[in-house]
């Protein structure tokens, strides 16, 4: 009788273990492939948000994750919308750093990387990652987006004219205003974007970035990047699902000549070498951890889920131009000669679905402002000059 009860208990324990863990990701240890080890979602995460690299979409993913797990986000202090950018980051750029100390879980707003100061804010076990983009596409995007703000861009007719003789327009003395015009990713990582292209120096910087960051994603392979991120952080598929944010309409893209493309590799040679190095390590990491076959399957799952959500949430099933966004509270910040796209949500969504959909399409500044109001209710709201959709959002 005791044996029967013992076996019954053993069976129930195994069964409960199955139900508890069947939805979790697993890592297969290399030494004992038969041992399945459940991994736990990482909740202390620092994302270095680089410019014009699909990083606004990643930021939205990070904010939604923070809300889902009730995490504390390191948000810009006072009326700042960035963490001090383009100044090199200091811990006091974070709201209530003096009070909260090292108890932030998520950091993902624009900053210029400064490891010692970031470490004052983030826990010792924080996971660090960032994203890079092909500098050829990046420079064209920066040119259009920052056309009105950057002297080197403003004084040239179009991107090809600028690249034909960049030194005619780019004056290093104006380097603070011209950071978007040359090696912007190198600058965002905290380095001198006007440094000499010296092999020894570049090797040292690449090594330092590898020591500071656990993972570097590639914007040109965004879906593949999200799957790698999901695996590395032990997150669920819905944690990395997204609608593309802060993208612009096709008619604002300037066509680069073949000569211009080659010139970018030389003009932004620090960014070019940074990109080549981490593009290689990105694919190596995928082959070592997921494998290309599994990657393809999971990318398809991601796209299927994304399509389902688009059908659920979006009126037009796609992004629309700024003039066609009906709810001005969902209008993204517009810059330069761009037409930054946004979304219209379907009417008559139930409350829960509406919240999910709103969060997925919420532009960066509005989401940051909303989270700031939730996390720091006694502080003065951020003055964005944008309509607020979120007054009744906190119930």
């Amino acid at each position: 009788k005791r044996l029967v009860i013992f076996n019954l208990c053993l069976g129930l324990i195994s069964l409960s273990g199955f139900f508890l863990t069947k939805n979790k990701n697993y890592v297969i240890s290399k030494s004992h492939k038969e041992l399945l080890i459940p991994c736990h979602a990482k909740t202390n995460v620092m994302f270095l948000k680089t410019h014009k690299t699909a990083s606004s979409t990643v930021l939205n993913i990070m904010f939604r994750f923070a809300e889902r797990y009730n995490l504390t986000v390191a948000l810009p202090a006072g009326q700042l919308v960035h963490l001090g950018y383009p100044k090199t980051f200091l811990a006091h750029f974070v709201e209530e750093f003096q009070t909260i100390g090292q108890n932030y879980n998520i950091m993902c707003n624009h900053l210029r990387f400064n490891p010692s100061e970031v470490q004052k804010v983030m826990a010792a076990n924080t996971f660090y990652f960032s994203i890079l983009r092909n500098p050829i596409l990046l420079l064209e995007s920066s040119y259009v987006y920052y056309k009105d703000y950057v002297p080197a861009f403003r004084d040239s007719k179009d991107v090809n004219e600028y690249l034909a003789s960049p030194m005619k327009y780019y004056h290093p003395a104006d380097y603070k205003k011209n950071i978007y015009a040359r090696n912007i990713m190198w600058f965002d990582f905290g380095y001198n974007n006007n440094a000499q292209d010296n092999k020894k120096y570049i090797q040292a910087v690449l090594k330092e970035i590898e020591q500071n960051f656990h993972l570097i994603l590639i914007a040109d392979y965004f879906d593949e990047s999200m799957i790698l991120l999901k695996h590395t952080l032990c997150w669920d598929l819905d944690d990395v699902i997204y609608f593309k944010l802060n993208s612009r309409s096709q008619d604002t893209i300037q066509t680069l000549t073949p000569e211009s493309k080659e010139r970018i590799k030389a003009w932004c040679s620090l960014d070019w070498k940074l990109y080549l190095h981490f593009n290689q390590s990105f694919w190596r990491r995928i082959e070592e951890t997921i494998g290309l076959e599994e990657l393809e399957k999971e990318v398809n799952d991601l796209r299927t889920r994304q399509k389902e959500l688009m059908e659920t949430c979006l009126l037009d099933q796609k992004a629309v131009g700024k003039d066609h966004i009906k709810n001005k509270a969902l209008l993204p910040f517009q810059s330069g000669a761009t037409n930054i796209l946004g979304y219209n949500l379907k009417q008559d969504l139930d409350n829960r679905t509406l919240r999910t959909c709103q969060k997925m399409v919420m532009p960066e500044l509005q989401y940051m402002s909303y989270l700031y109001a939730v996390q720091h209710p006694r502080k003065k709201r951020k003055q964005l000059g944008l309509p607020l959709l979120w007054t009744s959002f906190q119930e």
Side-chain angles (χ1 to χ4, degrees), residues 145-158:
Y145 195 84
Y146 296 110
K147 178 81 169 142
D148 299 344
Y149 310 106
V150 173
F153 292 161
R154 205 169 45 222
D155 299 340
S156 53
K157 182 172 78 20
D158 59 34

Side-chain angles (χ1 to χ4, degrees), residues 102-289:
Q102 219 178 5
N103 293 314
Y104 294 92
N105 307 110
I106 301 286
M107 181 185 257
C108 55
N109 287 83
H110 273 307
L111 59 82
R112 189 172 184 216
F113 194 61
N114 183 5
S116 59
E117 288 290 308
V118 171
Q119 281 156 18
K120 289 179 187 176
V121 178
M122 300 305 287
N125 68 346
T126 296
F127 181 91
Y128 288 77
F129 80 102
S130 189
I131 189 163
L132 300 173
R133 184 184 183 189
N134 184 324
I136 295 170
L137 303 169
L138 175 65
L139 192 112
E140 184 278 328
S141 176
S142 288
Y143 185 92
V144 178
Y145 195 84
Y146 296 110
K147 178 81 169 142
D148 299 344
Y149 310 106
V150 173
F153 292 161
R154 205 169 45 222
D155 299 340
S156 53
K157 182 172 78 20
D158 59 34
V159 69
N160 292 306
E161 184 179 279
Y162 169 66
L163 289 163
S165 49
M167 287 311 285
K168 185 173 154 187
Y169 307 102
Y170 183 96
H171 305 299
D174 265 347
Y175 81 95
K176 281 185 179 168
K177 292 176 186 167
N178 275 329
I179 52 173
Y180 302 105
R182 188 183 198 188
N183 294 313
I184 180 61
M185 295 188 290
W186 199 263
F187 181 87
D188 287 349
F189 274 87
Y191 302 101
N192 174 9
N193 59 322
N194 290 306
Q196 292 296 310
D197 183 341
N198 169 303
K199 194 177 177 183
K200 201 174 169 186
Y201 165 67
I202 285 174
Q203 289 308 316
V205 167
L206 295 176
K207 194 176 173 190
E208 199 166 75
I209 292 172
E210 282 178 338
Q211 284 165 351
N212 287 329
F213 289 86
H214 300 96
L215 180 67
I216 304 288
L217 303 176
I218 301 294
D220 312 79
Y221 305 100
F222 194 79
D223 289 350
E224 292 82 356
S225 289
M226 291 306 99
I227 298 304
L228 182 57
L229 186 69
K230 174 180 91 77
H231 275 264
T232 316
L233 294 179
C234 200
W235 287 8
D236 295 331
L237 184 67
D238 269 9
D239 293 327
V240 297
I241 214 80
Y242 68 92
F243 295 157
K244 207 173 182 180
L245 295 177
N246 211 35
S247 60
R248 61 193 162 124
S249 61
Q250 289 293 313
D251 59 358
T252 64
I253 295 170
Q254 296 188 14
T255 307
L256 290 160
T257 64
E259 295 76 29
S260 289
K261 289 177 183 177
E262 287 308 310
R263 284 176 186 135
I264 291 171
K265 293 179 192 177
W267 174 243
C268 297
S269 64
L270 305 175
D271 270 4
W272 182 246
K273 282 166 186 172
L274 178 71
Y275 175 76
L276 289 179
H277 178 84
F278 284 105
N279 185 37
Q280 231 176 359
S281 66
F282 171 79
W283 289 105
R284 193 164 58 240
R285 182 81 164 258
I286 281 175
E287 282 174 12
E288 286 168 4
T289 55

Side-chain angles (χ1 to χ4, degrees), residues 338-355:
T338 54
N339 175 1
I340 302 296
L341 306 176
Y343 296 94
N344 288 317
L345 296 178
K346 282 186 176 173
Q347 303 297 306
D348 308 322
L349 295 170
D350 66 79
N351 278 348
R352 197 177 164 197
T353 309
L354 177 65
R355 280 182 191 210

Side-chain angles (χ1 to χ4, degrees), residues 315-329:
L315 197 59
D316 314 88
Q317 312 274 295
K318 63 179 194 309
V320 297
K322 60 183 178 186
D323 300 331
H324 299 283
I325 298 167
K326 292 171 183 170
N327 184 341
K328 295 308 170 196

